[in-house]
Amino acid sequence: MASQPHYSQVYDWSNLLLAARKAALGKRGRAPAATFEVGLADELVELADELRRQTYRPGPYQSFFIHEPKRRLVSAASFRDRVVHHALCNVIEPVFERGFIADSFANRKGKGTHRAIDRCQGFARRYRYVLICDVRQHFPAIDYEILMERLSAKISDPQILGLCRSILESGVGVLDDQYDMVYFPGDDLFAVERPRGLPIGNLTSQFWSNCYLDSLDHFVKRHLRCRGYLRYVDDFLLFADDKATLWAWKRAVVGRLAQLRLTLHEERAQVRPVTAGIPWLGFVVFPTHRRLKRRNVVSYRRRLAGLLAGYRTGDVSFEQLKASWQGWAQHAAHGNTFRLRRAVLGSVCLPARQSGPEDPGRDQRPNAGLP
């Protein structure tokens, strides 16, 4: 059993060093990470001192929109703040992790999208019907006081809770424009002033999302006794052998989410036979096979065309291009997509470069060694 964490563990040197390494993964070529690592020791000493004295204050976010797979506002914390996020999660995550259900697959070690897809297909082979649900405006709707109650139930150190609140409050207002106000039973006119919204892009936001919805997971598993249930962030599935049970469970889930000040996308929350296919994490999953969603294919064709144009001008290296097509092919290979991968990648011809190294050879083209 994980012991209660102590605030001093957050600013312990070894923990901060580990946090800096985690924050830098995949970002070492970017200026903020490189600048921080140049003066790594001094930066960590300063951070440790601020955390120890409790004078640390998160900086502002840089916000921008992404459009794949849907339009969302991403708010990126500074690299320095991301180090603190990792340091905090290193300490408190084990306390919560032991209580999470096995079928929660997002942002957890040993889980992930592909295992969630495998689990979905396993349930599709055991049950006749599925209820497909997703939470409406999940990250913008997360209520700070409810989240702090969840964290306080497992964490007793007031200084750790103070740091959690400080990070939370740094995101006040960031997602206000992304949230459509919903009034719940018992609300007054001042409910609109309740602080809410976890900036999309933070490690803490991803982790706290799991903490927030953990009570829903246990409600479905223990109270509804639904054995065929799995969740990935704000998307979740319930399986059963009759439609009436699933419609009853939907009503219960709506009530439970209301206690968390969350709502479902009602028009999307429908019961359907598993043989009709289950849209799930970029695939359509059937009991016997899986198809990649058309939107994913169209999006990657567009991205690949941009990379090829960048390769021609010398702005994109061959290794970057190769990493892109290999990554997409490996992801697509989790479905029955061999012919699709051949169609997307097999006809790609590397353009002559205007500058930089020449074409590395036909043996390294996208269709060579297709998984």
Side-chain angles (χ1 to χ4, degrees), residues 288-302:
T288 55
H289 62 285
R290 309 168 187 176
R291 294 176 182 167
L292 196 63
K293 282 188 175 180
R294 181 178 181 277
R295 182 176 62 189
N296 180 292
V297 180
V298 172
S299 173
Y300 186 69
R301 284 185 188 273
R302 188 182 302 121

Side-chain angles (χ1 to χ4, degrees), residues 193-224:
E193 302 296 333
R194 292 178 69 102
R196 62 177 66 84
L198 295 183
I200 299 172
N202 278 358
L203 173 69
T204 47
S205 297
Q206 298 166 11
F207 171 60
W208 286 337
S209 168
N210 276 341
C211 298
Y212 201 84
L213 288 178
D214 182 55
S215 65
L216 171 69
D217 297 339
H218 286 282
F219 173 77
V220 174
K221 286 284 195 178
R222 295 180 180 179
H223 181 76
L224 300 183

Side-chain angles (χ1 to χ4, degrees), residues 93-138:
E93 185 176 355
V95 178
F96 291 88
E97 176 63 30
R98 72 174 185 260
F100 290 158
I101 66 168
D103 286 319
S104 169
F105 286 89
N107 309 305
R108 297 177 64 193
K109 293 178 181 177
K111 302 292 184 177
T113 56
H114 297 142
R115 293 196 178 188
I117 293 166
D118 290 343
R119 187 64 163 161
C120 172
Q121 188 168 52
F123 283 141
R125 289 169 175 168
R126 290 170 52 189
Y127 297 96
R128 295 174 60 196
Y129 299 102
V130 61
L131 171 64
I132 304 170
C133 300
D134 69 298
V135 178
R136 180 174 172 267
Q137 298 178 339
H138 172 55

